[in-house]
Amino acid sequence: MYQWVSLLSLWAIPVTIAFVLLYGWRKQVPVYETFVDGAKGGLTTTIRILPHLIAMMVAVSMFRESGALDLLLRALKPLLDLLHFPEELVPLALLRPLTGTGSLAIATDLIAQYGPDSFLGRLAATMQGSTDTTLYVLTVYFGAVGIRNSAYALKVGLWSDLAGVIFSLLIVSYIFA
Amino acid sequence: MLNVIWLGLIIISIVVAAMTGRMEAINAAAFEGAKTGVTVCLGLLSVLAFWMGMMRIAEKSGLLELLARVLSPIIQVLFPDVPKGHPAMGYILSNMSANLLGLGNAATPMGLKAMEELQKLNPDKQNASPAMCTLLAINTASITIIPTTMIAIRMQYGSVNPVEIVGTTLLSSFAATIVALLIDRMYRYRHIRRHR
């Protein structure tokens, strides 16, 4: 299983790149110019994210160093032990649906602290990558068309976030055991 | 919401630090955090630029549209109340395709166009229609083939095999999406029954 997954991971990106380029070439797309044009978009996106990332990183870093995080984890510990959930990942699981950049900051922090190839590092990356920021998506999508009442959309989003957290834990535990 | 979280995190930190005598530590932590923010962002820049360049080629060559056509039978099942051939379909498909490639920022414009089209079909302009909720469910638990951002960060911290989480992310997001769609269906039936 592990071999199969790592093989898939290894091949996914080069194959995707080759396929996109060759397909574009066949359709007579000027690949180089188009690539450069698209890459410019990456620059503007990054600049848009930067202030958010700084703001969140400051808050998260302070929260950890002040000992507030330890207090929170101590309060949650009995429940977590019951569920066999690694306590280091609680902040990430809690913030994931609320803030994309905030949870990105926390995931990055975990990877920096425990190393990218540790169990926690892999789990943080999977958890961050496998769900989207429900609150943000809801706000942006419904805000854009003027929907006031989101019906049951928030409930569905939060349930699926919970599912994403649980599946990440199960799958990473199983594959990298 | 974000306001409250951010403010809460910082104020609680300062109060706790004051009580435990860790003022020095959080002074350093604040600026250390800001520095980390910049470092992470610079790491992201390279990867985001690269993938958005690739995506533009996929878009221009019609690859996204092709993907959309392949997926179209699935859409018929997911959105029974959207008429066949309605423009909303095309946008929903492009949105899903962009999600599959792990490009949230490319997915958002498409998703917004889809929402606009669904709003035209929506009899009640204030309340979200079931189709809108389904679109949202798909987007909140988006299946991701290439989690670009996380790969970038793993590269930055010197992972031996930065892409090894592609498989786990794909499996986990796929499972979460199935759950999201099932729950969405359940609520949808309830919603329709109640509004008859």
Side-chain angles (χ1 to χ4, degrees):
Chain A
M1 185 71 186
Y2 171 74
Q3 271 155 341
W4 182 81
V5 171
S6 66
L7 197 73
L8 177 80
S9 305
L10 201 65
W11 279 76
I13 292 176
V15 168
T16 308
I17 293 172
F19 186 74
V20 168
L21 284 177
L22 291 171
Y23 192 88
W25 180 251
R26 231 197 73 203
K27 294 279 167 186
Q28 269 126 39
V29 172
V31 279
Y32 179 79
E33 287 84 350
T34 312
F35 177 87
V36 170
D37 185 46
K40 270 186 208 143
L43 188 65
T44 42
T45 308
T46 313
I47 290 178
R48 231 192 3 246
I49 302 176
L50 182 61
H52 291 275
L53 216 49
I54 290 176
M56 265 300 165
M57 282 286 199
V58 168
V60 169
S61 172
M62 285 173 84
F63 197 72
R64 204 186 52 241
E65 292 301 319
S66 67
L69 185 61
D70 297 334
L71 287 177
L72 179 73
L73 291 176
R74 220 175 297 159
L76 287 169
K77 200 162 170 50
L79 178 71
L80 298 176
D81 288 346
L82 205 70
L83 301 169
H84 297 290
F85 193 84
E87 60 175 62
E88 296 86 347
L89 282 162
V90 173
L92 180 63
L94 287 178
L95 278 180
R96 186 70 194 92
L98 304 176
T99 151
T101 43
S103 55
L104 177 63
I106 295 173
T108 306
D109 202 62
L110 286 166
I111 290 171
Q113 241 186 318
Y114 299 100
D117 298 326
S118 64
F119 172 75
L120 291 174
R122 285 163 170 167
L123 184 52
T126 303
M127 217 176 264
Q128 174 70 20
S130 60
T131 53
D132 210 330
T133 316
T134 299
L135 192 80
Y136 167 82
V137 175
L138 193 102
T139 312
V140 171
Y141 279 36
F142 283 166
V145 290
I147 292 281
R148 285 261 171 80
N149 177 3
S150 62
Y152 51 85
L154 182 63
K155 281 184 218 163
V156 176
L158 291 176
W159 278 115
S160 78
D161 285 332
L162 182 67
V165 166
I166 292 168
F167 283 124
S168 300
L169 180 63
L170 292 176
I171 289 165
V172 173
S173 305
Y174 179 71
I175 286 177
F176 296 115
Chain B
M1 189 70 189
L2 197 56
N3 273 312
V4 179
I5 294 170
W6 192 62
L7 180 115
L9 281 175
I10 293 180
I11 299 299
I12 291 169
S13 304
I14 293 172
V15 171
V16 173
M19 287 182 339
T20 54
R22 290 194 196 173
M23 272 310 185
E24 246 171 75
I26 60 160
N27 270 324
F31 297 102
E32 207 47 54
K35 210 189 283 180
T36 316
V38 177
T39 324
V40 170
C41 232
L42 284 177
L44 282 186
L45 175 57
S46 52
V47 179
L48 267 181
F50 175 78
W51 281 113
M52 286 181 82
M54 278 290 155
M55 274 296 285
R56 187 62 56 88
I57 296 173
E59 197 183 336
K60 277 268 200 302
S61 63
L63 194 59
L64 277 183
E65 267 173 73
L66 186 80
L67 200 58
R69 269 207 300 278
V70 172
L71 291 172
S72 106
I74 303 174
I75 301 295
Q76 295 283 314
V77 177
L78 292 180
F79 296 90
D81 33 14
V82 176
K84 218 176 175 160
H86 190 274
M89 280 287 175
Y91 288 122
I92 291 169
L93 283 165
S94 330
N95 166 258
M96 282 175 79
S97 312
N99 268 329
L100 280 172
L101 297 173
L103 285 140
N105 34 28
T108 307
M110 313 269 189
L112 289 179
K113 291 296 285 182
M115 270 297 173
E116 278 168 30
E117 293 298 331
L118 290 178
Q119 179 70 318
K120 285 178 194 166
L121 294 168
N122 186 8
D124 176 358
K125 301 295 179 212
Q126 295 278 312
N127 295 312
S129 66
M132 288 175 158
C133 292
T134 307
L135 180 64
L136 214 78
I138 292 171
N139 273 285
T140 53
S142 51
I143 299 185
T144 315
I145 296 180
I146 306 169
T148 36
T149 311
M150 277 344 281
I151 292 172
I153 286 172
R154 288 169 55 81
M155 279 178 184
Q156 237 182 316
Y157 286 101
S159 168
V160 179
N161 181 5
V163 293
E164 71 184 353
I165 49 129
V166 171
T168 53
T169 304
L170 181 60
L171 287 170
S172 155
S173 62
F174 183 74
T177 303
I178 300 287
V179 169
L181 288 172
L182 288 174
I183 294 172
D184 176 66
R185 261 303 130 110
M186 194 184 79
Y187 277 116
R188 176 191 282 245
Y189 283 128
R190 244 199 249 170
H191 182 87
I192 290 171
R193 265 216 312 269
R194 209 180 295 154
H195 287 75
R196 255 192 201 140

